[in-house]
Amino acid sequence: MAETDVTQVNAALSNPRADIEALEALERTLFSLGYAIDEIGSLGSVIDPPKATEERGEALAELERARTLALCAPEVAGVLGRLEQCPELLSETQRAQVRVLSRDRDALVGVPADELAAFKRLTVEAEDVWARAKSASDWSSFAPYLDRLVDARRRMAECKDPDRDPYDVWLDDFEHGSDRAFYDTFFSQVKDCVVPLLADCVASRNQPSRACVEGTFDEERQWALARDLVRLEGLDEQALWVGRTEHPFTGGPSTGFVLIASHVYPDNLLSNVFSMLHEGGHALYEQGVDAAYRFTSLKGGTSMGMHEAQSRFFENLIGRSEAFAAPLLETLAKHFPGRLSRVTPRQLYLAENCAEPGLIRTEADELTYPLHIIVRYEIEQLLFSGEATAADVPRLWAEKYDSYLGVRVPDNARGALQDVHWAGGDFGYFPTYALGSAFGAQLKAAMVAQGVDFEGACASGDLAPIRAWLRDRIWRWGRSKDSFELLREACGEVFSARYYTDYLTEKFSAIYRL
Amino acid sequence: MAETDVTQVNAALSNPRADIEALEALERTLFSLGYAIDEIGSLGSVIDPPKATEERGEALAELERARTLALCAPEVAGVLGRLEQCPELLSETQRAQVRVLSRDRDALVGVPADELAAFKRLTVEAEDVWARAKSASDWSSFAPYLDRLVDARRRMAECKDPDRDPYDVWLDDFEHGSDRAFYDTFFSQVKDCVVPLLADCVASRNQPSRACVEGTFDEERQWALARDLVRLEGLDEQALWVGRTEHPFTGGPSTGFVLIASHVYPDNLLSNVFSMLHEGGHALYEQGVDAAYRFTSLKGGTSMGMHEAQSRFFENLIGRSEAFAAPLLETLAKHFPGRLSRVTPRQLYLAENCAEPGLIRTEADELTYPLHIIVRYEIEQLLFSGEATAADVPRLWAEKYDSYLGVRVPDNARGALQDVHWAGGDFGYFPTYALGSAFGAQLKAAMVAQGVDFEGACASGDLAPIRAWLRDRIWRWGRSKDSFELLREACGEVFSARYYTDYLTEKFSAIYRL
């Protein structure tokens, strides 16, 4: 692979056509390695048997190393640099490729390949330890890994940009254009809105009831329902695989092969429903990227926050809206006719929107959700600044859950061990979840202002007009534009958290009659 | 990847330690690319959605190209050549690695890359034409492709070894140490035994009956049974994934992740049972390779014949033995208690061993199976020697099926179009299927002579003593020894077809009371 590249790169010194060929050869290499890494990584937790772990880890580390070497080869800097100088010779797609590849390369060249490979191995091990620690609710076995992971990420951030705060490096990595200053402002707006709003909801005499969807629901029927939910969302089933896993996620190596892994709980029907609608939103984004980008670095979603905007759009803005309750109820009742035949859409809507302080992020309702994120954001900041180590996390976790949500954390399984993200070395990732909700609220306001009959589409169960707007403004662009740029172009104004806080205030004030 | 290799290789010119490091770097590269190719390739037909095809094909082609480039890099010849000259500096494993890598490399470097690429394209086209030709039972559309494929394979054999008969080159490629002279002798012994034996069976007044296992069996229960069958065989379920596919196969990227894909037919319980036992034998071999070889070219089975020896050992020598009928029946009856409660082990044994001349290789019983192979072997020889062309094949096929099996071939779909192998350019592959059965019979005789209580193990359902013997003599060696060498060391004598023909004669004479 690299050999051919080198030949082409050398020839390119005096020949822009050869530079373009080198760009295409690089993209083919990156595509094939990325395809392998995504498929092996995504399926790892879904179908691989337990003993696959070590060899999968080695293979992933090595493939990752090869990808890094291909992108960081010294000749590539020359190719990308020369192509940047002659934009008139490039198509719009090629210009975006050069821009994205240069940034991807800059993010890597700083970190030594050995460090990167060692980090990958550490995360494979840590994820294994985390899974066992979680089922034993044993913080102490995972804690040393958390400290090592934070250290590794701090060292890597140092390599990438020694002049920048390490946590800022990772915040920006997950969401280009963001940093602590941005999130501090954003989260303080959210906290100022949600903490008092939640207190009012909890104190209200008008409590919505979940009774109409309580009880046990057959698991295999819930899986059949899950398939119908992705159909209702409008996913292309010819490019989708649905598997079973503990912690739901969407992945997959290509626009033609998107993978949703989810769970069902016999005693929690709505958990399945909203997990599938959420993951389906991610999958719609992946499937919706322009097919012309399939074999390039422009495929896939542009950022974590914009991805989360799509998933929460389908989970909350559509999925938990009053208008959508009717078609959703119809789908549920098809699989559980006896149980749901006397439920009304209004009852379902209220059951979906009980704002209740709880322990588990992924089970959180729409209102309390951002508070779970704020806890994690604040703890990550402390870990990165050195003000706290892994040993302090259970205490910090308990204090913050008490203070923001008013709940007592009974054990680490339902506390700081609940999420896999840290075991995967993903710090700075959680904030994008809350940001995504805010992106989504702003996108919804814009599409309504631009004439999309949002309520009508939800009420009819035919979401095509909503998908068309999102595909045109967001999905099809893949990574060719950054999230804040896409948002600005789609909405005609810069990001504002106001749409999100207004939406939450209006919705929950109505439900709780505040 | 290649960059690091090149650096290491250059440093190695005056330093054997650097050569060893280059060997290890090469093995890591080959391991990771092989892992990716095996996982993507194996799962492709099992779980990928339809629209994954194009991107998967691109990714696989690119990964394959990277593997070829890594192994065929000019520097690698120097590394391997120098290491061959200083065996005293190498461990036994490293010496085997050098030997196997040199041979793998030689198999690739001889053929010009253009020829190889043209051949790949031809097979992709030919497989497509074959699939349509088979469903239309239309030999004439496939015939020109068969002639072109034979020509291409003849030219490629010429490149690899101009002094050798081209068909011998491919026989040796699939089974190192074999050639036409070897197979001519082997198949004439088999034919001399099986043709008259089959005629006697067909003419016998004592015909075993399949009635006790006929009828329909619930598919999901058959899948639960399939899991119990691999448990009964003693597979490590912590290193196994079982999926569903049209054409059963065993694959998987590592000793820690072996994959069996199989089918169930509601109206053919035994097809499921013996497919699973067969694939389970392949999987036991893959899982049983020495863990020290995991990240090297020595992992996996040593040859097609030796792999087939393991699968047929568990399918036939154990699975269709009278002793094993009791534990097998117990397992079947657990899943189908109503249906099988009155069946006796003897009835099951007879039902499993009806020798019936048929048209379809993959549905053949243990006795007629090698005759299907002999037909294909003899026709391949004629095509390669130029004594026949594709146009002659239907006539030859009909004559040989009539002469060896006594059946009339009604159409090409059930004749020369039934198998995909030729469309894939695989000539010289079929003979290994029959050779595997003969390897297995000799291994069984040796283990009994060496004191393994084969019948006792089968009767008890605890196959551990049999697995231990096979693991020690065959499985753990991976690719570090060739099949004929392994067999000789395991059995204390060279290969002999006598064990196979004696076994068939004894078994079927008893069943049919000849």
Side-chain angles (χ1 to χ4, degrees), chain B residues 63-113:
Chain B
L63 293 165
E64 199 74 75
R65 199 174 75 90
R67 180 158 68 174
T68 303
L69 279 174
L71 188 55
C72 298
E75 301 84 5
V76 171
V79 172
L80 296 174
R82 287 190 297 275
L83 290 173
E84 256 165 21
Q85 300 305 310
C86 50
E88 69 287 357
L89 297 176
L90 304 180
S91 67
E92 199 178 329
T93 297
Q94 287 169 329
R95 284 197 293 274
Q97 285 173 267
V98 170
R99 200 167 56 241
V100 166
L101 282 167
S102 298
R103 193 163 59 188
D104 287 353
R105 189 175 187 280
D106 290 345
L108 287 173
V109 284
V111 184

Side-chain angles (χ1 to χ4, degrees), chain A residues 210-223 225 263-273 336 339 351 363 414:
Chain A
R210 215 181 261 118
C212 69
V213 288
E214 274 171 351
T216 59
F217 292 82
D218 178 72
E219 295 194 38
E220 287 310 313
R221 284 197 197 175
Q222 287 202 51
W223 281 114
L225 164 63
H263 60 226
V264 307
Y265 300 129
D267 59 351
N268 193 342
L269 177 66
L270 291 190
S271 169
N272 166 20
V273 169
F336 299 101
R339 298 290 303 280
E363 303 297 331
R414 284 172 285 181

